[in-house]
Structures are given as C-alpha cells and as structure tokens.
Amino acid sequence: MGHQARRDSFTVSRFNYDAEAELDWPFGKLNGIDQDDLRETAYEVFFTACRSSPGFGGRNTINYYNTAAQESTEGGGVGGASSPRTNGGGLVGMSRVKRTLGLKTIKRMSPKRMAASVGTASPSSPRGVNSPNISLSVPPPMRPRRPMTSAEIMRQQMMVSEQSDNRLRKTLMRTLVGQMGRRADTIIIPLELLRHLKPTEFNDANEYQIWQKRQFKILEAGLLLCPSIPLERSNSYAKRLRDIIRASETKTIDTGKNSETLRTICNCVISLAWRSANGSTNDACHWADGFPLNILIYLSLLYSIFDHKDETLVLDEIDELLELIKKTWSTLGINKLIHNVCFTWVLFQQYVVTAQTEPDLLCASLAMLAEVANDAKRPDRDNVYVKILSSVLTSMQGWAQKKLLDYHESFPKNSFGLIENVLPLALSVARILEEDAANLAAVAVPDKSILGGVDSTGNRVDFYIRSSLRNAFTKILENVNAKATEVEVEATEALLHLAQETEDLATKEKETFSPILKRWHPIAAGVAAVSLHNCYGTVLKQYLAGVSTLTNETILVLHRAGKLEKVLVQMVVEDSVDCEDGGKAVVREMLPYEVDSIISSLLKTWVNDKLKKGKESLGRAKETETWNPKSKTEPYAQSAVELMRLAKETVEDFFDIPIGISEDLLQNLSDGLELLFREYTSFVASCGSKQSYIPTLPPLTRCNRGSKLHQFWRRAMPCKDGSEDSQRGKTTEGHHPRPSTSRGTQRLYIRLNTLHYLLSHIHSLDKTFSLAPHANSMPRNRNRNRNRHHFPTTSSSYLDLARSSIQTATQHVAEVAAYRLIFLDSKCVFYDSLYVGDVVNARIRPALRILKQNLTLLAAILTDRAQPLAVKEVMRASFEAYLMVLLAGGSSRIFSRADHGMIVEDFESLKRIFCTCGEGVVAENVMEKESETVEGVVALMGQSTEQLVEDFSIVACEASGLGMVTSGLKLPMPPTTGRWNRADPNTILRVLCHRNDNMANRFLKRTFQLPKRR
C-alpha cells in the first residue's frame, strides 16, 4: 500500500499532463504504461549504463549501501558526488549549465534547505517518506554528514526504493559475471530482470506480479509496438512473445531456470532485439530505442534535474547528472540533437506545470531554443529527430500563442512583464518552423490560417495584439451583458458602459503592454486602437441594426461612440509619429463610425416612420370615418384630431432631438406633413359634386292656354320629397316647420368644420416651422422639386400648398352641401313646388320658412369660421334654383307678364333671408353681385313678348355670327350653357318658352317648330 501511495503522489506532483490541458503532449503515449512504469524503467536503464561509474558499483566506490551510514546522511542536503564538485562545507560550485541557461544556484546550507532535507529521507532508507519515526526537526549539529553521491542523488530524484535498487544491483552482478566489459546497450534489462529475480525477492506475490507485468509491457512496447526497426507481421518470434505477454495479464508467468516459457521468452526477445534493417549481421541491440518509448524513458531521466522540495528549481548537480544521463544514449537511441529538443521541452514543461511561477525556466527554454535552431539547420538529421522537433515546437508554439492571443487574460496585473519572455519564445519557435521549413522536409509546419497568414515578426505580433484585444473586448462585452441581464439594464445604458470600458482598456493597453510590444512592433498602440475601434464598431453596428428609429437614447450612444472614436484615433496618431506614412495605413483600417451620417439617416428614418404613422391614421380614417362629431364642442371629425395630434407630436419631438437639424431635414418633414394634409384634405373633399344635385333640364316646349297638362298640375297632389329623409322636407306642423336638412347634408357640414379645424392648426404648425432656429439658418427655396408656380418663391410658409388645398376643398364641400340642401333636401318646397301651376297660388313663402330653419340649423352645426362661406354657397344655390324654376321649370310652370311683380317681390324676400341670417355672414356687396344675374332674368320676364322676340333675334344672330337680322333669315337654335343672364339668347328663349301668350307660341312654332305642351 505504501508503494502504491508513493506512485500516486509522484504521478500527481509532476507527471499529470492531463491536468495541464493548456499544454499539448507532443510525444504520444503508450497504452498500459504509466509514468511510474517509465520512471522505474528509466532508472534501470540509467543504472545499467552508469554501472561502471563511481557510486554505481564500479571502482573507487562502495557496492552496497551501509544502512547505518545512510541514516547518518539523511538529515543533510543533496551534495556533490566527489570532492572536486564541492566548494568547502558542502556548498556546490556554480554549474556551467546553470550559468549558460541563466538558472539560479540553490543555497544548500540555508535553514530552509536543511530543514527540508531532514524531512525527506532517501528512498533507500528504512526511514523513508512514510516512516513514522522520522523527525522533522534539524538534527544535532555534531551529527556526521557526507555529501551524497551522484548515484544516491539520482536514486532519490527518481524515487526508487532501496529494495528495488538492490534487486537491480544483484541482477547486474549476476548478468555480468565473467563479462564485465559488456556494453550497456547490449543488455536487455527487462529480460535480465525476468531471468534473475524470483518471487521470493519481493514482499508478496502481488508485488511480483505487478513488477513482472511492467517488464513485459516494456518488452512489448520496445520490441512489438514501437520497434526502431519495422517488424514484419509474419515474424513468428513476435507472435509467440505477444501470446506470452497476453497470458501475463491474467497470471504470473513462471520464469524459473528450468521454465520452458522462460527459454521461449529469451529466444523471442533476443531474436527481435538483435534484428537489423537489411538482414545483415548486427552488433547493436534494439529493445528501447524505438519512438516514442525511448523519448518517454529519456524524459523521465531528464525530469530528475528538478528539486523535489521546490520543483521550480534545478539541482546544482545538473552538470554531473546530465553527463551520467548521456550514457543512456546508446541504449535509447538518443543523440545530441534529440537531447537538445528533449531538454528544451523539459525546461519549458516544468515552467508550465509549476504554474509559471519561475521565469528563469522560461528563459532557459528560450536559451536552449537557440541551440535547437542551430541543430535544425544541420544536414545530418534523421526522420525521428524531425518528427520530435516538429511535435515539440508545435506544442510550444500552441501554448505560447494561446497566451499571446489573449495576453490580457494570460498576464494580469503585476505579471504583464512575463510577456517579454513568452513573446520571444513564440517568435523563436515560429522562426525555426518557418525559416527552416525547407530543411525540415518532414515537419508539418502549423497552418498559417490560425495566424491570418502572417509569417514575419511584425505581422505575428500585430496578430497577437489584434487577437488579444478582441478577446479582452469580448470578455468586457460578456461582463457588461451579464450585469445588464441581472439588473435589467437597457441596451443603451449597457452600450454606454461598454464604451467607457473600451476606453479604459485602450488606456491600459497604451500604458502597460504597448511599451513592451513596441520593441517588436513600431505602432503597437496604434494597432490596439484600431482593433478596439473595429470591435466596438461591430457591437455598435449590431445595436444600430435593431434601432428602427431615432431616440434620445440612441443619440447618447452615438455621441459616446463618437467620443470613443476620437480617443482611439488620437491614440493611433500619437503612436504613428515616427512612421514613414504617419500611420495612414493603420488609420485606413478604422472604418469610421460616421456618427453624424448615421444620426442623419436615423432622423430621416424617424421622419419617415412618423409620416408612415400619419398615413396609417389616414388609412383608418378612410375606412372608419362616419363624419359624426364627438360632441357639440368638437363639431369635427375625430380622424382630423388624431391626424393633427400625430403631426404636432412629430414636430415637437423633432425639435426636441438634441442634435443640429439641417434645413433639408426640416424641409423633408414639412413636405411629408404637407403631403399628408393634402391627402387627408382630398379625402374630406371626396363628397361628390354639385352637378349631381342639379335637376336635368326639361325639353323646350311652347305654352298654350288651357292645356290638359296645366289643368292636371292644378289638381296635383303635394309633391314627394326626394331627400334621404323625406320627413324633414314637409312643410306642415303649423307655423313652425321643421328644417329639411338631411343627415347627409349635416355630415357635409362636419366636413366643413374639419377642414377649418385643419386650417387653423396648420397655421400653428407653420409658425412652429418658421420660428425654429434651424429654419432661420439659411434661406429656403420653396420651389425645390415642387410645382409651386402660383406661389412666390420668397414665401416664408412651409405648408402653403396644404393651406391652398384646404381652401379649395372648403369651397368645394360648401358648394356640394349648399346644392344638396337646396336641390335635394329642399326640393319639395322649392324646385318641385314654387310657381307650379301658376304664380299666384305657389308663391315662395313656404320655401322661405323651410330655408330659414335650414340656415338656423346650419349656424348651429358649423363653426363661426365656416359659416360665411357655407351661407354664401347656400345663397348661390338658392339663386341657382330660383333661376331654374323660372327658366327650366318644365311644362308645369307658365308665366305671364302680369306675374312679374310677384316674382320680383318673391326674390326680394329670398334675398332678405340671407341678409338677416347673421351679422356679417353675407356682405352686402356679395349679395348684390350674386343677385345681379337673377334680377336680370326677372327683368326679362317683365318685358313684352315683342321686345323679347326682338332681343332674342338680335343676340341670337350676334352669337351665331350671322350679323344683322334680315327678313326671311332662319334663326339658329342657341345652345344651352346653363350660365343664365339676360344677354344670353338661350335665357331669352326659355323666357319665351314659359310666356303664356299667342305671340310667343306662334314665334316658337314658326322659328323652331317647338312642340306644344300637353
């Protein structure tokens, strides 16, 4: 159990390579053989090779350990093997190897070393590490001591027990009886041990079986698994030996003198070990020189140079130990080239596995690399050496690159100076692999793709800087994201924090690493700044990809990014002062953040999004608007309120954005809103046309007294209302008639209110645009990409087209509402009833009562600003209807010259209605202008038939271009224009058609053959 515990502790302390995952093992492994097996075999090979040296059983030394004498030395430090190596008082002189590699000397006589030596006895002593009787205190000063021999040092370093050592000595003595001059490389150690050691020489059968298995494993590895000379599959010795080795796994093999199995083992092993490559006579024995067994055994020997008390230190006896270890070269197939590679690896690996606490080991590795570089250029290299060199350098390069590609993590505070050693190591390894690649034909040079294709020192350091900065930035980003997730921080705040962390990282790089790296790269700080600039730019780009519109938070992020960019650019400029191009090449790598351009673009997107919302609101209005007011205090469409609210919010938010706004952006916003208002105005005005309400003109006929049709109209029933609400058109209910205004007309009034609502708020928006500081910074060209020929170019308005379109739409809606009111809603009492049959019995008074009620309702619905135009249009429609009654009333109306007075009186009453509907609603001059046409037509009705015929003949001839009226001249039929006036031939003709006398009847029949009314 103690033996197994020792093996486990040794394995963990030094050879647990799997625990050091960051360092790749370059030599491969042998299944079934662990590091303890290799270590014990290495000692056996070492002792056999050094058997003739002092302390190993040769001349001038003792052959066996005197237990009592050994106990007297266990409290002392590890001394030299002979007096020439000592320097008085047991101190060892300065090692040549240490001096060459720059390793420090161990002060053996220090209290620390003495105390440690007392607590660690030689493994050959009965009071070893596991002895409960050992004292940890310093022994009495008078206790005799002597320096340890090299053999004792090696046995202690290899942690071989006294029992194992004695068994090995006995075996060699038995083997070399009568052949003391036999070369060590001809001795097959495992075979000799199996031949000469019996189970009785071990503590128990289990220990012997474990020992025997190890010997067979070593033979299998050296002769069958990795022989130096390739083995044919048909080799019978190999097959028999393999069978025996397989059997040993389950039971102990009998190796007694008379054992047939032993004879078979000897025959097989000797036959396999003494083979030659070409079948010729061979004087060399090959049982432990195959790769990787030989390298693994040799490494186990080289590990012995490190002090067990402090594994970061190399023994002062290294010179003597290495000289002795060289004696194993012939057995293991090692040469100086392979030794240099292995020794470089051992120093380097020890630095790594001891937590990189001793920079001297790394410096020693770097010094050995110089030897390796020279060796790599030699022409006498073999393939095994090339393979080993490639594997070792690749592993070292992988470790160094891992550190350098993330040197911010690898070299934290107070240890960043180590980069001065790691970087030269990486560069040296890379130089050997790359510069000597032509010589190392079998070397698999690492793929340059891992370094971005770099091959020079400057480019390689450049890549290290960029990679490490990217990794450091990534860690910062992960930390920022983690904190943001924990406390639910907004992305904006996280990005602001990231910008500050990035700036701090740039400062740390500039002050800490760049001064060191500048020895290999002229603009190390500049490259770092470029890397950080690109890293933050990538994150910024991702952030902006998720930003659909501009917000104040986004502006803060962009402004902070702009500040960071200035810091990094300044860092590049300062570091590139001494460059030939002034750092222009590096600066060109910095893709600008273009903060101003991005803000401008986002602002345009923001404007477009706001306008899109306005269009969506307009689309909803077109689908859902019913033109029913929300209340009497808000007698306009709610869609207009929503649209104007969006517009005002947009303008307010636009000017609240904390950036300088250009005139172009301001113009884009105003143009977009203006277009939106015009589209909405067009939607409001899409209510038909007044022509749809004007009745179709009846055909022209001539009157005849007492016609059946005239009598029919006298007996006719009251007319039917053609409006959409017939009940509103009735004139009954006593002296308080109800207004005939239909709901459709009332909705038109709401449209009018809506248009005036828009107009009033557009004035406010326009004022906001004009008074903005940005708007006054430069003159505006209102004709830019517009068709504004009817506006002066010096207009200070941003929404003049919208205002103009609203005014046009207001005029149109007012006309439609007026004509609908008169020709549809009031048709029953106006056009269908007035003067039907005769004038006396169908005067205008009933129609005026209804009209007055309609105007009252109009005033109640329309806002004050909307009323004047609406009343004016009602007046014009009323006058138009009155003219149609007089001129196009159809066969139900006949007039005589005697009716003129009543007609004049009725028209005056109609005019009076509009004069009294409200102060200032209809101006007197407007009234006079609009009534001129009606009064002219009414005047025609007061003229005699002879005068009407004469006037008609004159104006008809003039209008047709016939000139003067002559006898026998056929008068042309004047066209119907609908523009009634007393000078229009068609107007005079229609007066004649409605004149109820014989002269008019005869004239119309003779001149135009007009039919008679039925």
Side-chain angles (χ1 to χ4, degrees):
M1 293 298 293
H3 175 73
Q4 185 63 36
R6 178 189 60 75
R7 290 165 60 94
D8 292 343
S9 64
F10 183 76
T11 301
V12 172
S13 64
R14 178 177 293 175
F15 296 107
N16 191 1
Y17 303 119
D18 293 337
E20 191 60 49
E22 63 177 328
L23 185 61
D24 295 330
W25 179 248
F27 304 108
K29 294 184 179 181
L30 293 174
N31 293 331
I33 299 179
D34 59 22
Q35 293 298 332
D36 289 316
D37 295 334
L38 292 170
R39 173 178 50 78
E40 293 177 5
T41 301
Y43 180 76
E44 292 165 357
V45 172
F46 172 79
F47 191 92
T48 301
C50 299
R51 71 188 187 284
S52 60
S53 300
F56 292 87
R59 298 176 181 178
N60 303 323
T61 185
I62 58 175
N63 291 328
Y64 295 96
Y65 292 103
N66 186 322
T67 304
Q70 179 63 29
E71 287 182 1
S72 68
T73 65
E74 287 178 332
V78 180
S82 60
S83 58
R85 295 190 294 109
T86 62
N87 187 16
L91 293 176
V92 179
M94 182 61 185
S95 164
R96 180 185 59 81
V97 174
K98 281 195 169 186
R99 184 170 57 251
T100 303
L101 299 181
L103 296 172
K104 63 173 66 75
T105 299
I106 301 176
K107 295 181 179 180
R108 292 295 180 185
M109 301 307 293
S110 65
K112 174 181 177 182
R113 296 293 301 170
M114 291 175 63
S117 297
V118 172
T120 307
S122 171
S124 64
S125 172
R127 297 180 181 180
V129 175
N130 301 309
S131 175
N133 298 321
I134 194 68
S135 174
L136 296 180
S137 61
V138 178
M142 298 304 294
R143 193 173 187 179
R145 304 172 183 173
R146 69 169 176 82
M148 295 177 67
T149 65
S150 296
E152 294 169 336
I153 293 173
M154 197 64 178
R155 183 168 60 84
Q156 177 177 276
Q157 290 297 105
M158 298 295 288
M159 304 194 75
V160 175
S161 67
E162 179 186 357
Q163 186 181 13
S164 296
D165 185 64
N166 285 334
R167 285 196 297 262
L168 176 60
R169 290 171 181 266
K170 291 178 181 179
T171 299
L172 290 176
M173 288 185 63
R174 297 166 183 171
T175 301
L176 298 175
V177 172
Q179 39 183 337
M180 295 301 293
R182 183 178 176 181
R183 299 200 320 266
D185 58 355
T186 64
I187 302 175
I188 305 174
I189 306 299
L191 179 61
E192 298 301 331
L193 290 171
L194 289 171
R195 288 176 56 196
H196 295 290
L197 293 182
K198 309 304 177 187
T200 57
E201 298 184 59
F202 293 84
N203 293 329
D204 53 42
N206 181 55
E207 183 182 358
Y208 176 74
Q209 185 179 14
I210 293 174
W211 173 87
Q212 188 185 72
K213 282 183 179 180
R214 175 172 68 84
Q215 304 304 331
F216 278 125
K217 288 178 184 177
I218 296 299
L219 287 173
E220 180 184 27
L223 299 174
L224 302 179
L225 299 179
C226 51
S228 59
I229 298 175
L231 184 66
E232 302 86 357
R233 291 187 177 181
S234 60
N235 191 299
S236 60
Y237 295 109
K239 182 178 180 182
R240 287 196 294 272
L241 179 60
R242 187 177 291 110
D243 293 340
I244 294 173
I245 293 173
R246 293 291 175 269
S248 70
E249 295 178 357
T250 57
K251 65 178 180 178
T252 303
I253 302 299
D254 180 13
T255 58
K257 288 185 178 180
N258 300 323
S259 170
E260 184 66 27
T261 303
L262 179 60
R263 283 194 291 270
T264 303
I265 293 173
C266 291
N267 291 333
C268 293
V269 169
I270 293 173
S271 298
L272 292 173
W274 287 92
R275 289 180 304 114
S276 62
N278 53 12
S280 61
T281 304
N282 187 17
D283 61 350
C285 179
H286 305 281
W287 71 271
D289 56 351
F291 179 84
L293 177 64
N294 60 340
I295 301 300
L296 297 178
I297 293 175
Y298 192 66
L299 290 177
S300 296
L301 293 173
L302 292 179
Y303 288 133
S304 65
I305 67 174
F306 298 107
D307 191 352
H308 285 173
K309 286 84 176 178
D310 186 350
E311 292 190 340
T312 64
L313 300 177
V314 175
L315 296 178
D316 291 338
E317 296 82 4
I318 181 174
D319 294 27
E320 290 79 2
L321 295 180
L322 288 179
E323 286 298 321
L324 292 172
I325 290 173
K326 281 184 180 181
K327 295 179 180 293
T328 65
W329 286 8
S330 59
T331 301
L332 299 176
I334 303 297
N335 55 33
K336 181 173 177 54
L337 275 67
I338 295 177
H339 164 78
N340 286 341
V341 174
C342 293
F343 191 47
T344 301
W345 170 258
V346 166
L347 292 171
F348 172 73
Q349 187 204 28
Q350 192 70 8
Y351 169 73
V352 175
V353 299
T354 54
Q356 305 160 43
T357 56
E358 182 50 72
D360 284 355
L361 292 174
L362 187 61
C363 294
S365 302
L366 186 59
M368 282 302 302
L369 275 177
E371 293 288 333
V372 172
N374 293 330
D375 294 342
K377 298 176 182 179
R378 292 177 55 174
D380 56 340
R381 306 170 318 279
D382 57 26
N383 291 337
V384 174
Y385 166 75
V386 169
K387 183 177 181 180
I388 295 171
L389 176 63
S390 172
S391 300
V392 168
L393 294 182
T394 301
S395 180
M396 294 175 68
Q397 185 183 51
W399 177 87
Q401 285 183 172
K402 184 177 180 181
K403 294 292 181 182
L404 294 171
L405 292 176
D406 193 8
Y407 58 75
H408 288 85
E409 179 72 15
S410 304
F411 306 105
K413 189 176 181 181
N414 298 328
S415 65
F416 58 81
L418 292 176
I419 196 173
E420 295 184 84
N421 296 325
V422 176
L423 182 56
L425 177 75
L427 296 178
S428 297
V429 171
R431 191 159 44 247
I432 297 172
L433 288 173
E434 292 173 358
E435 293 180 359
D436 300 327
N439 297 324
L440 300 177
V443 174
V445 179
D447 187 2
K448 290 183 182 180
S449 62
I450 64 173
L451 290 175
V454 299
D455 54 6
S456 67
T457 298
N459 289 340
R460 192 175 294 273
V461 175
D462 185 285
F463 183 79
Y464 293 152
I465 295 172
R466 295 175 187 271
S467 176
S468 184
L469 266 297
R470 283 195 299 269
N471 291 330
F473 180 85
T474 300
K475 290 182 178 65
I476 292 174
L477 180 60
E478 291 173 353
N479 293 335
V480 170
N481 288 336
K483 291 179 181 178
T485 303
E486 291 176 2
V487 298
E488 298 183 356
V489 175
E490 294 292 335
T492 299
E493 186 175 346
L495 207 59
L496 293 174
H497 182 60
L498 178 63
Q500 184 60 50
E501 291 283 343
T502 303
E503 186 173 335
D504 295 341
L505 178 60
T507 302
K508 175 184 177 183
E509 178 73 16
K510 179 181 178 181
E511 297 175 352
T512 302
F513 292 104
S514 294
I516 300 174
L517 297 173
K518 200 172 183 66
R519 288 154 50 185
W520 292 275
H521 198 294
I523 48 174
V527 171
V530 170
S531 300
L532 289 177
H533 183 273
N534 293 338
C535 288
Y536 189 82
T538 300
V539 177
L540 180 64
K541 184 178 180 180
Q542 293 175 352
Y543 169 78
L544 294 176
V547 174
S548 57
T549 187
L550 190 65
T551 62
N552 289 345
E553 291 76 12
T554 304
I555 293 174
L556 289 177
V557 170
L558 289 171
H559 283 169
R560 186 63 183 85
K563 178 183 176 183
L564 174 63
E565 185 173 46
K566 291 179 181 178
V567 171
L568 296 177
V569 169
Q570 182 62 28
M571 186 171 164
V572 173
V573 172
E574 292 176 357
D575 198 45
S576 307
V577 174
D578 299 331
C579 293
E580 294 181 359
D581 62 349
K584 293 180 180 179
V586 178
V587 173
R588 278 195 293 269
E589 295 185 42
M590 303 178 72
L591 298 177
Y593 294 160
E594 297 180 344
V595 171
D596 294 337
S597 176
I598 293 174
I599 290 177
S600 178
S601 177
L602 286 176
L603 189 55
K604 289 180 181 179
T605 302
W606 181 88
V607 170
N608 292 335
D609 289 344
K610 292 294 184 179
L611 295 177
K612 182 180 179 181
K613 289 182 179 180
K615 290 182 180 179
E616 292 173 354
S617 177
L618 176 59
R620 289 193 300 270
K622 291 180 178 180
E623 295 177 359
T624 62
E625 185 57 68
T626 60
W627 306 111
N628 291 318
K630 181 179 180 180
S631 64
K632 290 183 179 181
T633 58
E634 297 182 8
Y636 32 76
Q638 287 304 302
S639 60
V641 177
E642 176 67 16
L643 180 65
M644 194 54 63
R645 182 185 62 79
L646 288 175
K648 286 186 175 181
E649 289 179 356
T650 298
V651 173
E652 291 174 359
D653 293 344
F654 182 77
F655 289 118
D656 285 342
I657 297 175
I659 59 173
I661 298 175
S662 66
E663 174 64 19
D664 287 340
L665 283 174
L666 186 63
Q667 192 67 58
N668 289 341
L669 177 60
S670 63
D671 289 349
L673 291 177
E674 187 175 60
L675 180 61
L676 194 62
F677 292 146
R678 292 177 66 186
E679 290 181 2
Y680 184 80
T681 299
S682 177
F683 163 62
V684 176
S686 59
C687 56
S689 66
K690 67 177 183 179
Q691 299 299 328
S692 61
Y693 298 107
I694 299 177
T696 304
L697 297 180
L700 293 176
T701 57
R702 50 193 175 89
C703 290
N704 58 319
R705 288 181 176 273
S707 66
K708 293 181 180 180
L709 185 60
H710 178 66
Q711 296 174 8
F712 169 79
W713 277 108
R714 285 180 176 272
R715 299 191 302 269
M717 295 288 293
C719 68
K720 295 182 180 180
D721 186 8
S723 67
E724 59 185 61
D725 187 356
S726 61
Q727 296 301 319
R728 291 187 177 274
K730 298 190 177 182
T731 61
T732 57
E733 296 192 18
H735 298 288
H736 301 283
R738 296 171 58 190
S740 63
T741 307
S742 64
R743 291 194 178 275
T745 305
Q746 293 179 38
R747 294 189 187 102
L748 291 176
Y749 293 161
I750 300 302
R751 291 180 186 241
L752 275 177
N753 286 341
T754 301
L755 291 172
H756 280 278
Y757 173 83
L758 288 177
L759 190 61
S760 63
H761 284 78
I762 282 178
H763 284 302
S764 175
L765 284 179
D766 206 5
K767 186 176 181 181
T768 302
F769 279 124
S770 300
L771 296 180
H774 316 79
N776 298 327
S777 60
M778 58 186 297
R780 296 188 302 277
N781 183 3
R782 298 294 289 145
N783 282 332
R784 179 174 56 87
N785 297 327
R786 289 162 165 260
N787 183 16
R788 295 178 178 265
H789 300 297
H790 55 288
F791 286 101
T793 59
T794 58
S795 170
S796 62
S797 173
Y798 282 84
L799 304 173
D800 47 7
L801 282 182
R803 184 182 296 103
S804 175
S805 64
I806 292 176
Q807 291 170 348
T808 302
T810 302
Q811 178 68 36
H812 172 71
V813 174
E815 284 184 352
V816 173
Y819 276 74
R820 178 185 174 92
L821 176 67
I822 299 301
F823 286 97
L824 182 63
D825 299 345
S826 303
K827 182 179 180 182
C828 181
V829 295
F830 208 128
Y831 182 75
D832 287 350
S833 300
L834 184 60
Y835 303 149
V836 172
D838 56 28
V839 175
V840 175
N841 296 309
R843 299 286 294 273
I844 200 173
R845 185 175 180 182
L848 295 180
R849 287 202 298 268
I850 296 297
L851 178 59
K852 188 174 183 180
Q853 294 298 323
N854 288 337
L855 291 175
T856 301
L857 180 60
L858 179 150
I861 296 176
L862 290 177
T863 61
D864 293 341
R865 293 185 178 182
Q867 289 180 23
L869 179 60
V871 173
K872 175 186 174 182
E873 292 303 320
V874 171
M875 179 185 68
R876 292 178 61 190
S878 300
F879 290 173
E880 179 76 13
Y882 193 72
L883 283 175
M884 289 195 66
V885 167
L886 298 179
L887 302 176
S891 58
S892 62
R893 291 183 174 88
I894 58 174
F895 300 101
S896 64
R897 187 177 181 184
D899 297 332
H900 175 260
M902 289 181 289
I903 292 173
V904 171
E905 182 180 343
D906 285 349
F907 183 65
E908 291 297 327
S909 298
L910 179 60
K911 290 168 55 178
R912 194 176 304 112
I913 287 292
F914 294 103
C915 290
T916 60
C917 66
E919 183 178 357
V921 175
V922 180
E924 185 178 351
N925 60 332
V926 174
M927 173 73 71
E928 295 298 329
K929 181 179 179 181
E930 296 295 335
S931 62
E932 284 181 0
T933 300
V934 182
E935 290 174 345
V937 173
V938 172
L940 288 176
M941 300 184 72
Q943 292 181 0
S944 63
T945 302
E946 294 84 353
Q947 185 64 44
L948 290 174
V949 171
E950 180 180 352
D951 292 344
F952 171 76
S953 300
I954 294 172
V955 297
C957 289
E958 292 177 353
S960 62
L962 295 178
M964 299 296 295
V965 179
T966 59
S967 59
L969 180 64
K970 183 174 180 60
L971 296 174
M973 173 66 75
T976 303
T977 62
R979 294 187 295 271
W980 319 116
N981 66 81
R982 64 180 300 166
D984 174 44
N986 187 266
T987 301
I988 300 174
L989 178 62
R990 288 181 175 275
V991 173
L992 288 172
C993 289
H994 287 81
R995 179 63 62 90
N996 188 20
D997 62 22
N998 291 329
M999 183 176 181
N1001 187 26
R1002 289 194 301 272
F1003 173 77
L1004 296 174
K1005 179 180 180 182
R1006 180 180 68 252
T1007 305
F1008 301 109
Q1009 291 78 44
L1010 292 181
K1012 189 189 304 182
R1013 297 183 185 179
R1014 299 299 179 182

